[in-house]
């Protein structure tokens, strides 16, 4: 509230575009407590890791991601894990009441991942994904994690993003979105606008 006026901010589109993670947590699970969540929030890192799985170097994979529009000219925020950390901060504070800052999140990107590392994981039926994790006990991390290919997080590929939510009374739920075009994110912004004007 400023100078006698007030405003309202909705920001569901800030995390995973069209995937309504924030709405699921704060509305659909309002009667329970979210105890843990794990997610893949950055499709750029996903795309790069998948490209490297095809045999290319990290640099070549980044170049390919930039060519198809999956990465910015400077992809450091994506590959360094910071874009994922920003999103984890929003999610943890919004649906877990974590009250944390960026300094509370341990961040490790995928810059050091090599083709040999990815190949070694593939030989045992695993893939590497940049995973964001939040736990009620105060553990908040972003780091590359080896995932079984058939697991939920391991199944998130390319342009996909997803989250696994653990709750005390709702059990474990899984949510995934394929988003190559900007339309789902734009639709989420429209949803926020509708919520502000129609649901005071």
């Amino acid at each position: 509230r400023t100078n006698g006026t007030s405003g309202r901010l909705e920001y569901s589109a800030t995390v995973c575009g069209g995937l309504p993670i924030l709405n699921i947590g704060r509305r659909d699970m309002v009667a329970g407590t979210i105890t843990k969540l794990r997610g893949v929030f950055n499709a750029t890192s996903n795309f790069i890791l998948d490209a490297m799985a095809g045999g290319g170097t990290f640099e070549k994979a980044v170049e390919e991601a930039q060519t198809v529009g999956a990465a910015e000219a400077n992809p450091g925020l994506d590959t360094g894990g910071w874009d994922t950390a920003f999103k984890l901060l929003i999610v943890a504070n919004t649906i877990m009441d974590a009250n944390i800052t960026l300094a509370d999140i341990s961040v490790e990107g995928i810059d050091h991942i090599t083709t040999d590392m990815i190949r070694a994981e593939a030989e045992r039926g695993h893939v590497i994904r940049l995973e964001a994790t939040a736990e009620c006990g105060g553990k908040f991390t972003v780091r590359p994690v080896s995932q079984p290919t058939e697991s939920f997080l391991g199944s998130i590929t390319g342009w996909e993003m997803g989250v696994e939510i653990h709750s005390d009374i709702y059990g474990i739920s899984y949510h995934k979105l394929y988003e190559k075009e900007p339309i789902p994110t734009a639709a989420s912004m429209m949803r926020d606008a509708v919520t502000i004007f129609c649901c005071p």
Side-chain angles (χ1 to χ4, degrees):
R1 180 177 293 271
T2 304
N3 297 327
T5 63
S6 63
R8 178 177 171 186
L9 176 67
E10 292 288 338
Y11 50 92
S12 70
T14 59
V15 180
C16 295
L19 188 63
I21 296 175
L22 302 184
N23 289 355
I24 292 169
R26 62 185 172 183
R27 183 191 64 200
D28 301 327
M29 296 185 175
V30 67
T33 298
I34 295 173
T35 57
K36 177 181 178 180
L37 64 84
R38 303 166 62 218
V40 174
F41 296 158
N42 186 268
T44 299
S45 294
N46 242 12
F47 187 96
I48 290 170
L49 290 169
D50 282 354
M52 291 175 67
T57 63
F58 176 81
E59 291 75 19
K60 285 291 185 182
V62 169
E63 185 177 321
E64 182 180 347
Q66 291 170 329
T67 299
V68 301
E72 303 290 342
N74 179 1
L77 288 177
D78 296 312
T79 62
W82 292 105
D83 176 77
T84 298
F86 297 149
K87 293 171 180 174
L88 180 61
L89 177 70
I90 294 169
V91 172
N93 283 338
T94 301
I95 70 175
M96 297 179 73
D97 295 322
N99 194 29
I100 62 171
T101 68
L102 199 60
D104 297 308
I105 303 175
S106 173
V107 182
E108 177 187 345
I110 64 169
D111 308 79
H112 65 289
I113 301 297
T114 65
T115 303
D116 288 342
M117 294 167 67
I118 293 176
R119 185 179 297 115
E121 293 299 329
E123 289 176 355
R124 64 190 194 99
H126 284 220
V127 293
I128 297 175
R129 291 290 174 255
L130 184 61
E131 179 184 317
T133 302
E135 298 182 18
C136 267
K139 181 181 179 182
F140 306 95
T141 62
V142 172
R143 63 190 180 97
V145 177
S146 175
Q147 315 277 356
T149 305
E150 296 183 357
S151 67
F152 174 69
L153 293 186
S155 73
I156 299 173
T157 61
W159 296 96
E160 295 178 332
M161 295 172 284
V163 62
E164 171 187 306
I165 302 176
H166 297 239
S167 171
D168 57 346
I169 59 176
Y170 295 109
I172 304 174
S173 60
Y174 304 89
H175 311 272
K176 183 194 287 190
L177 173 75
Y178 175 89
E179 183 174 333
K180 183 177 180 180
E181 304 296 335
I183 293 176
T185 297
S188 295
M189 295 173 68
M190 183 179 296
R191 176 184 63 214
D192 286 341
V194 170
T195 298
I196 290 171
F197 286 105
C198 297
C199 305

